[in-house]
Amino acid sequence: MIDWVSGVFKDVESEMRGLQWGRLYEQYHSKSYDPAKVPPRSSGFMATRTSRTVAASFEYILGGLQDSKLLDVRVFDEATKKSVYAKQTKAAEASSTSNCPLCAVGHAANKSKIWS
């Protein structure tokens, strides 16, 4: 199993410790991989991931870069999220509708509630 992992990933890093390699090996070992096409750690593909998703990045690669839900990608930084949320909340207050899109279209008492 260690030979298989080393053959797939050129630069084996400490982030690989503790992964469920037995499960990953059973699921993916029959596929052939070209180590030259596997994104290296230094490429930035995995360098910017949080520690929770680094492990999932290996499974994403082994799965042929198909299941992007494994990456837990965040497109917006915290400042952008807060700015957009404030703008949406202000617009909701002006139109007397809820800043929750589900509440705003519903028929419940929360239809005009502004959530913090």
Side-chain angles (χ1 to χ4, degrees):
M1 182 168 39
I2 293 172
D3 290 338
W4 173 75
V5 172
S6 298
V8 174
F9 298 99
K10 288 189 282 187
D11 53 345
V12 179
E13 297 286 336
S14 62
E15 289 90 349
M16 296 174 122
R17 288 188 215 138
L19 296 181
Q20 297 177 350
W21 286 111
R23 179 184 63 81
L24 295 174
Y25 176 79
E26 288 300 319
Q27 189 170 353
Y28 298 108
H29 80 279
S30 60
K31 293 182 180 183
S32 64
Y33 297 93
D34 180 358
K37 293 183 180 178
V38 172
R41 173 85 169 103
S42 59
S43 71
F45 175 77
M46 291 170 43
T48 58
R49 306 277 179 238
T50 63
S51 60
R52 183 176 91 66
T53 58
V54 167
S57 297
F58 290 106
E59 186 167 1
Y60 175 71
I61 291 167
L62 293 171
L65 309 176
Q66 297 296 313
D67 189 3
S68 60
K69 292 180 287 189
L70 291 167
L71 298 179
D72 193 27
V73 174
R74 293 287 180 207
V75 178
F76 304 108
D77 62 12
E78 199 62 33
T80 303
K81 287 191 291 186
K82 287 181 178 186
S83 154
V84 170
Y85 182 76
K87 188 186 296 184
Q88 289 172 337
T89 299
K90 188 175 182 178
E93 288 171 336
S95 65
S96 298
T97 60
S98 179
N99 57 347
C100 166
L102 297 176
C103 296
V105 297
H107 301 288
N110 291 335
K111 190 170 184 159
S112 60
K113 181 174 179 167
I114 300 297
W115 298 88
S116 58

